[in-house]
Amino acid sequence: MITKEEMVTLFADMKQNAPWDISKPLLWGYFFADADKARLEAAVPALQTKGYQFVGIYDSKPEAGNPALWWLHIEKVEKHTVDTLHARNQEFYQFAAEHQLESYDGMDVGPAE
């Protein structure tokens, strides 16, 4: 689980090192993981109704006895602060639990085009 302290570190690092203005809307990508691709596919419409764009579902290679996982990638242009991103992560942990997904696996960020 991503902590609020990790959000503080992320925003401090972006402010110092990112080549984009973090006070403006950015393209945020969010990731969910599950061994069952169908569960991820079933979650997509609920995420789209919340305004998220479906990017894709990708498979990973199995590692040392662990089965392969499927990764659902969604994205949305949003402006976040430490508090709003922390709240979004909590929302996605709850979403994963409600949809019986193995995990909400976090996010990435880049400039909005």
Side-chain angles (χ1 to χ4, degrees), residues 9-23:
T9 302
L10 171 70
F11 274 81
D13 183 58
M14 284 194 308
K15 187 174 184 176
Q16 185 173 1
N17 299 311
W20 53 76
D21 182 352
I22 67 168
S23 69

Side-chain angles (χ1 to χ4, degrees), residues 42-110:
V44 171
L47 292 163
Q48 288 175 319
T49 27
K50 295 175 185 261
Y52 294 93
Q53 181 179 356
F54 171 70
V55 177
I57 296 177
Y58 312 99
D59 64 338
S60 66
K61 307 290 183 237
E63 298 176 1
N66 293 328
L69 282 177
W70 292 93
W71 301 92
L72 166 60
H73 179 193
I74 59 169
E75 62 187 18
K76 188 175 189 181
V77 174
E78 302 181 288
K79 181 180 175 198
H80 277 300
T81 64
V82 169
D83 291 331
T84 63
L85 186 57
H86 180 66
R88 176 73 75 240
N89 284 328
Q90 299 312 305
E91 174 188 326
F92 281 151
Y93 288 123
Q94 182 67 34
F95 180 90
E98 289 170 358
H99 289 82
Q100 299 178 332
L101 302 177
E102 195 166 313
S103 70
Y104 163 61
D105 200 55
M107 71 283 162
D108 66 10
V109 63

